[in-house]
Amino acid sequence: MKKSKKFLMLMLTSVLSVAGYAQTKIDGIYYNLGYYIDNTLSYNATEAEVTYGETKYSGDVVIPEKVDYDKDYTVTRIGSQAFWACKDLNSVTIPNTVTSIRFSAFSGCWNLTSVIVPNSVTSIETAAFSMCTNLPSITLPNSITSIEEGTFFNCQKLTSIALPNSVTSIGKQAFSCCTSLTSITLPNSVTSLGEMAFEACEALKSVVLSESLTSFDKGTFKNCNSLVTVINLSKTPRNIPDDTFTTYGTLHVLPGCKAAYEAADVWKNFTIVEDADQPAEVITVNDLIAAIGKVENTEGSKAKITAARSAYDALTKEQQALVKNLSILVDAENAYKQFEATAIANIEAKDSNKDGKYLENGKIVIVKNGKNYNLNGQAK
C-alpha cells in the first residue's frame, strides 16, 4: 500500500503546463478563453476552460455557463489542476455546459464537502477528486463511462458512491484508501476492475459483483479487512488473482452454483452460500449479525453490534421480515447493555452446565456447580 500511495502522490504532484494559454480572471475565476483540444489542431474559439491562477480558490464557488470578455465564451471544461490543493474550498457548482473535468482538477481539496457534477459531463480524468479527504458523497451522471485511475484515491470521508449504469470500467486505485466507504454495488454495465481499485477500503463490509464483470486486476479488494459479504451474481466463477482479497467472509452465489465455486481457486476460500437471488441488503444484514460472534465488553464488539443494527434499521419493513437471525442481534444488544452496567468482560451462548457466564434469552446467566444464578446472585 505504501508503494501505491507513493506512486500516486508523485503522479499528482507533477506540474502540468497550461500550454501557453493566456489566463483571464473574471469575477474571481481564472479562465483560458479559447483552447486547443488535446493533440489536435482544433481550436475552440468560443469556449472557455476554468484554470488556476495566482490566488487559490476558497469558500463556495459557482462556475457560470458563459463568461463575457471580448465576446461570449461558453464554459465547457474544468482544466487540469484548476482547483488543485485549494484547501479552503468548500463547495463547487459546475454548470450544464461543462463536458470534461480534467486531470487532478480537484485533487487535494481537503475541505471540499459538496460538488455537483451535471449530466453534461462525459469525461472525468485521472485523479480528478483524489485526496478530497472530507468529501462525504458524490453523485455521478449517467454520461460517465469509466472511473479513471485514482479518481477518488484517499477520499477518506467518502461513505457512499452511486455508480451509474453507464460505467463500464473502474481504473487502477480509483477508490483506494477510501477508508469510510462501507458498501459498493457494481452495476451490470461494469466489466472490468483495475489494479487495487478498492485497496485499503478499511470499512468496506459488502460488495455486489455484477454478472457482466469478467476482468479483475491484482489486489482489487486487498486489505479490505472488514469485508464480510461478497455477493457474486455470475453463474460461472471467474479466474481472479490470488491477492484479489485479503479477508474471506461469506460468498453468496446463485442457487445451483455452490459446487462450481467450491472447486474454483481463490473463491473456494470463502464460506459459500447459495442465496444471491435474495435482496443484497438483507444478505448484508444477515452477515453483519453473524459477524458479531462472541459478545465482549470491547469497542470492537460494540462497533459490530452498532453496524448490524444500523443496517437492519435501514431496511424496508418487507426486507426486515426476511432477516433470519434478528434474535441474535437483539440478544447481543441486551448483553452489551448489561456489560455497561456490570463490567463483565465477555459472554457466550449457553450450551452446557459448566461453570461460567452465558447468554440465555437475552439475559446473562451465571452457572456455578450446575446451578443457574442471575447477576444479583439469586438462584433461577
Side-chain angles (χ1 to χ4, degrees):
M1 187 172 70
K2 289 183 179 179
K3 289 183 178 179
S4 64
K5 283 187 176 181
K6 182 178 180 181
F7 164 77
L8 194 52
M9 288 291 290
L10 288 172
M11 179 179 66
L12 296 181
T13 54
S14 62
V15 179
L16 302 181
S17 77
V18 289
Y21 298 140
Q23 295 177 350
T24 304
K25 187 178 182 180
I26 303 173
D27 295 330
I29 300 176
Y30 296 92
Y31 299 95
N32 293 319
L33 300 177
Y35 59 85
Y36 284 98
I37 299 175
D38 299 324
N39 302 319
T40 74
L41 295 177
S42 178
Y43 184 70
N44 297 326
T46 60
E47 297 181 11
E49 173 188 68
V50 177
T51 188
Y52 55 85
E54 295 179 356
T55 304
K56 292 283 188 181
Y57 298 106
S58 63
D60 304 316
V61 174
V62 178
I63 300 171
E65 292 185 357
K66 293 180 179 291
V67 289
D68 182 12
Y69 190 65
D70 54 335
K71 59 185 176 182
D72 281 343
Y73 293 86
T74 301
V75 181
T76 59
R77 191 160 78 168
I78 310 298
S80 297
Q81 297 185 314
F83 294 88
W84 185 81
C86 292
K87 61 183 180 62
D88 295 321
L89 181 69
N90 301 128
S91 70
V92 177
T93 301
I94 301 172
N96 283 315
T97 52
V98 170
T99 59
S100 175
I101 298 175
R102 302 213 59 211
F103 179 96
S104 293
F106 296 95
S107 179
C109 293
W110 301 335
N111 290 305
L112 181 66
T113 58
S114 175
V115 59
I116 298 173
V117 181
N119 289 327
S120 58
V121 173
T122 58
S123 172
I124 299 178
E125 295 185 8
T126 298
F129 295 96
S130 65
M131 297 187 292
C132 291
T133 53
N134 281 293
L135 185 66
S137 64
I138 189 169
T139 300
L140 300 176
N142 284 320
S143 50
I144 299 297
T145 58
S146 66
I147 310 296
E148 298 296 333
E149 179 176 350
T151 300
F152 296 101
F153 173 83
N154 204 32
C155 288
Q156 296 176 11
K157 293 291 180 66
L158 189 67
T159 58
S160 63
I161 181 77
L163 295 177
N165 289 323
S166 55
V167 172
T168 60
S169 64
I170 297 177
K172 179 179 180 180
Q173 293 184 287
F175 295 95
S176 180
C177 300
C178 291
T179 53
S180 297
L181 189 65
T182 58
S183 65
I184 190 76
T185 297
L186 301 177
N188 206 43
S189 55
V190 174
T191 60
S192 66
L193 295 178
E195 181 179 346
M196 299 182 290
F198 294 94
E199 181 216 14
C201 290
E202 297 171 356
L204 189 64
K205 294 178 175 61
S206 66
V207 172
V208 180
L209 304 177
S210 63
E211 181 182 7
S212 59
L213 184 60
T214 57
S215 175
F216 283 74
D217 212 329
K218 61 183 181 179
T220 305
F221 297 102
K222 188 176 182 179
N223 296 322
C224 295
N225 296 322
S226 298
L227 188 60
V228 297
T229 303
V230 177
I231 301 172
N232 196 327
L233 300 178
S234 175
K235 294 179 180 179
T236 304
R238 314 162 185 83
N239 293 323
I240 61 176
D242 291 340
D243 67 348
T244 298
F245 300 95
T246 300
T247 300
Y248 297 96
T250 303
L251 174 65
H252 300 266
V253 300
L254 294 170
C257 299
K258 182 177 180 179
Y261 278 91
E262 287 178 332
D265 288 342
V266 183
W267 299 112
K268 65 184 180 183
N269 297 328
F270 287 88
T271 299
I272 303 174
V273 181
E274 291 183 326
D275 64 352
D277 56 338
Q278 297 296 310
E281 297 86 355
V282 174
I283 292 173
T284 299
V285 170
N286 283 328
D287 283 354
L288 287 173
I289 293 174
I292 292 172
K294 185 176 182 179
V295 182
E296 299 179 336
N297 192 9
T298 64
E299 286 300 315
S301 194
K302 182 179 180 181
K304 290 179 180 179
I305 294 169
T306 301
R309 169 54 67 179
S310 297
Y312 176 81
D313 289 345
L315 299 178
T316 65
K317 290 184 178 179
E318 292 77 12
Q319 291 173 334
Q320 288 178 349
L322 298 175
V323 175
K324 56 189 177 183
N325 53 1
L326 179 61
S327 62
I328 295 176
L329 173 59
V330 174
D331 284 350
E333 290 173 325
N334 289 335
Y336 200 84
K337 287 178 183 177
Q338 294 189 57
F339 284 148
E340 293 177 324
T342 64
I344 292 176
N346 57 67
I347 203 162
E348 56 189 302
K350 187 175 184 300
D351 59 1
S352 71
N353 285 321
K354 65 181 180 180
D355 288 359
K357 300 179 183 72
Y358 300 93
L359 184 64
E360 185 176 63
N361 298 323
K363 296 183 178 180
I364 295 176
V365 175
I366 299 173
V367 177
K368 187 174 182 180
N369 297 326
K371 293 183 178 180
N372 294 349
Y373 301 86
N374 63 20
L375 289 173
N376 296 321
Q378 299 172 326
K380 297 187 65 178

